[in-house]
Amino acid sequence: NAGVTQTPKFRVLKTGQSMTLLCAQDMNHEYMYWYRQDPGMGLRLIHYSVGEGTTAKGEVPDGYNVSRLKKQNFLLGLESAAPSQTSVYFCASSYPRPENTEAFFGQGTRLTVV
Amino acid sequence: KQEVTQIPAALSVPEGENLVLNCSFTDSAIYNLQWFRQDPGKGLTSLLLIQSSQREQTSGRLNASLDKSSGRSTLYIAASQPGDSATYLCAVGDYGNKLVFGAGTILRVKS
């Protein structure tokens, strides 16, 4: 049971380049999330999905797009990378019963935009 | 807007000490509170989840309490070990299990 797997683990981009981060979960979770973590700050929600074919904005969505074409996958796209998007990105998933279900996180993608 | 604060930001203790990490949140309308552990360069590992209707949860040497009305949670670590050294993150979840995180407490346990 792999849990939540993120690809790639590290990436360096030049300003203006585009890329897609892939998140895959094998726990049949309905809900999936993308967060970013910056030094000295807690994780902040970028976008989330409550099921296949659905997406919604989180706290810091600008500059990012997402897609959930399959239940097990959640993609995060950067169309034109900026240095401010240098961060560690985490994907998470959970069942839709927040009262008693924990969120499971991937190992993170460390992105540097130069 | 929900805000989560963790105190202290960093803590250094000798091995064997019992310690308490604090977490406070501004909006009591939460569905759960979760404590995570994060090792350097790694992902988040869930330690404890407390449902909004619960007062505490225990797992091994860890005990987490929740006082929703006052917007506070504590994580108690008994008999600390060097292997407990990590960053501890507190997060509160809403109806969609969207989490708002604190900035974390960096714990160092000295042998």
Side-chain angles (χ1 to χ4, degrees), chain B:
Chain B
K1 177 186 172 184
Q2 178 75 269
E3 293 182 359
V4 179
T5 303
Q6 292 187 245
I7 295 173
L11 183 62
S12 182
V13 299
E15 182 177 4
E17 265 200 16
N18 302 324
L19 55 98
V20 175
L21 307 182
N22 297 292
C23 173
S24 62
F25 47 95
T26 55
D27 187 346
S28 62
I30 64 171
Y31 278 68
N32 64 47
L33 185 142
Q34 300 178 51
W35 282 94
F36 295 90
R37 168 185 174 138
Q38 184 176 30
D39 293 290
K42 303 293 185 182
L44 281 67
T45 300
S46 179
L47 296 174
L48 290 165
L49 174 133
I50 310 176
Q51 299 176 38
S52 60
S53 58
Q54 295 177 323
R55 298 284 292 184
E56 66 177 339
Q57 279 286 351
T58 298
S59 176
R61 294 182 293 108
L62 305 179
N63 175 276
S65 68
L66 173 63
D67 184 341
K68 207 172 79 160
S69 61
S70 68
R72 295 178 188 276
S73 175
T74 61
L75 178 66
Y76 176 83
I77 302 177
S80 58
Q81 303 170 357
D84 294 330
S85 298
T87 297
Y88 290 80
L89 297 167
C90 167
V92 294
D94 68 3
Y95 63 92
N97 213 12
K98 302 188 299 294
L99 300 175
V100 178
F101 283 83
T105 293
I106 301 171
L107 172 65
R108 180 187 172 206
V109 181
K110 298 172 289 186
S111 58

Side-chain angles (χ1 to χ4, degrees), chain A residues 2-113:
Chain A
V4 180
T5 303
Q6 293 183 230
T7 309
K9 291 183 171 51
F10 302 93
R11 185 73 186 268
V12 178
L13 281 181
K14 293 183 179 179
T15 298
Q17 285 185 321
S18 64
M19 77 165 295
T20 300
L21 283 66
L22 171 63
C23 176
Q25 53 96 3
D26 61 3
M27 296 172 283
N28 202 33
H29 286 165
E30 289 291 334
Y31 289 8
M32 295 187 75
Y33 316 82
W34 277 106
Y35 293 88
R36 62 178 285 173
Q37 184 177 35
D38 300 298
M41 303 180 68
L43 280 74
R44 292 179 293 167
L45 183 65
I46 305 172
H47 285 282
Y48 64 100
S49 168
V50 298
E52 182 178 319
T54 74
T55 63
K57 295 179 180 179
E59 180 186 358
V60 288
D62 294 343
Y64 305 96
N65 57 74
V66 288
S67 64
R68 182 106 181 262
L69 299 180
K70 295 183 179 180
K71 184 177 182 179
Q72 63 268 32
N73 295 337
F74 195 28
L75 278 63
L76 177 70
L78 285 72
E79 292 183 344
S80 179
S84 61
Q85 294 178 304
T86 294
S87 188
V88 182
Y89 292 85
F90 288 99
C91 176
S93 68
S94 76
Y95 286 116
R97 291 190 62 188
E99 296 88 356
N100 58 5
T101 184
E102 62 191 288
F104 292 85
F105 282 77
Q107 289 300 299
T109 295
R110 187 172 297 274
L111 174 66
T112 302
V113 182

